[in-house]
Amino acid sequence: MKQSKFLIAILLACLASSLALAGVKIEHWVAPSGARVFFVETRVLPILDVQIDFAAGGAFVAPAKAGLAGLTRGLLEAGAGELDEEKIAGRLVDIAARIGGGADSDRASVSLRTLSASKQREAALDLMRTVLSAPTFPQSVLEREKARSIASIREAETRPDAIAGKRFAAAIYPDHPYGISPTVESVSAITREDLIAFHRQHYGAKGAIVSIIGDVSRAEAEAIAQRLTEALPPGGGALVPPPVKKPQRATIKVDHPAAQSHVHVGLPAISRGDPDYFPLLVGNYTLGGGGFVSRLMKEVREKRGYAYSVHSYFSPRKLEGPFEIGLQTRRDQVTDALKVVDSVLGDYIAKGPTQRELAAAKKNMVDGLALRMDSNAKLLGYLSAIGFYGLPLSYLDDFPAKVNAVTVEQVKAAFSRHVKAENLVTVVVAAD
């Protein structure tokens, strides 16, 4: 029996990997509601995955009401139509479905996973439609969730890692929504009317990105997309955060009694559609994204023992998302650790990776692609990103060639354009 289950698991993994390696056919159309739809048909498993994304993230909220985007998204399943949160949860259990999602700076998402059999699928889609188009935002649940959020904010204000993250975002995004975090005051000020208005403005059909993958036909997918979006508010189109301004070079030190200093170094760097995306993605693997093979790990941890872990990453957004180097180190050696970081980064910007490092980065990224898209859930993440950020439908098929085409000179040029020393901000929490 155990051997049989093991063989079945291996077979499913192989089938999924074969799908990933064979390429993904993405179909795209605009529904009568105005929603943009992206669809992948796959019959490997009797599962349907749907995700709808809206330009409804924190970047669209005034500082005085920071936290509104997350509360609006979080309360969609707290009551909708004639159903309260207990009945919604009960129906999901009865049909073996799951509604998920969340909100970040750019977008809010609502996802559904259900069996593709007609009975379960129809019930799940009806429930998702109600949650999306007719949330009631019960006052009692709002007060409960506001209290939870406030308690979480107060607890985070005691932790050096959370303090560092918030101070870093505020420092690299001065006077921009990307740098604003919810506060006790901003969450306290949010009202039920705010949630209703935000939903009406940002959860509109014309701004909806519908991603569908699974055991349904194109015709069925067309009906699903229209069904889920036809009752949404009419607005929501062409919403973009305000422009990002680059910060001036600065070092910010924050007192804290922690034994370890928490360090963030970085700046706003790249939007998701920037042509330098692949040179920066590939180049960062060698700098600090490749774990123990990265230069930062070798110089900061292995050679000098300044930190247990050190990393770097680019996090593209609708506008320029952050480039960040992060580490923790003893308070008495933070100055020396930062000197090493500055030296490694400066040398890398000037010289880029070696040919051997570049080849290793490319191999890792191309070889790992199949594992990063070996399930419907993983593919759904790519599909929604392609739709929301306006990437080419051939993005997944083009990925290996785009990675392999990156040169040392392209990496150097891209880093020089996007990681300028005069804009780098350093935040140290628990500094002497």
Side-chain angles (χ1 to χ4, degrees), residues 293-338:
V293 303
S294 73
R295 289 193 186 181
L296 284 169
M297 187 71 87
K298 289 176 180 177
E299 296 297 327
V300 175
R301 171 181 163 149
E302 293 182 9
K303 290 186 178 180
R304 298 169 177 84
Y306 285 152
Y308 178 77
S309 178
V310 57
H311 64 267
S312 68
Y313 65 84
F314 289 92
S315 182
R317 299 179 184 174
K318 198 75 171 180
L319 302 180
E320 291 92 333
F323 164 72
E324 178 185 331
I325 297 173
L327 62 99
Q328 296 177 38
T329 187
R330 287 203 328 255
R331 299 172 70 111
D332 62 339
Q333 59 190 22
V334 67
T335 299
D336 292 333
L338 280 171

Side-chain angles (χ1 to χ4, degrees), residues 124 160 177 232 250 268 285 313 333 386 396 411:
L232 291 173
Y285 182 88
Y313 65 84
Q333 59 190 22
I386 287 168
L396 293 174
V411 172

Side-chain angles (χ1 to χ4, degrees), residues 1 10 135 380:
M1 184 68 176
I10 291 295
L380 186 70

Side-chain angles (χ1 to χ4, degrees), residues 358-376:
L358 185 63
K362 291 178 179 180
K363 186 177 189 310
N364 177 275
M365 297 181 73
V366 172
D367 289 353
L369 179 61
L371 293 177
R372 293 194 295 274
M373 46 188 285
D374 62 358
S375 70
N376 284 9

Side-chain angles (χ1 to χ4, degrees), residues 94-97 114-126:
D94 290 342
I95 59 177
T114 180
L115 294 170
S116 58
S118 178
K119 181 179 179 180
Q120 290 89 348
R121 185 183 74 194
E122 294 304 302
L125 291 170
D126 277 344

Side-chain angles (χ1 to χ4, degrees), residues 193-208:
E193 288 68 30
D194 292 327
L195 272 66
I196 293 171
F198 190 79
H199 177 267
R200 185 185 305 116
Q201 181 179 2
H202 292 274
Y203 285 74
K206 291 181 180 178

Side-chain angles (χ1 to χ4, degrees), residues 61 64 75 124 140 160 194 203-204 224 249 271 278 307 316 363 395 407 410:
V61 178
L75 265 68
S140 60
D194 292 327
Y203 285 74
I224 288 168
R249 186 180 181 97
S271 62
F278 281 98
K363 186 177 189 310
Y395 174 83
T407 67
Q410 287 175 338

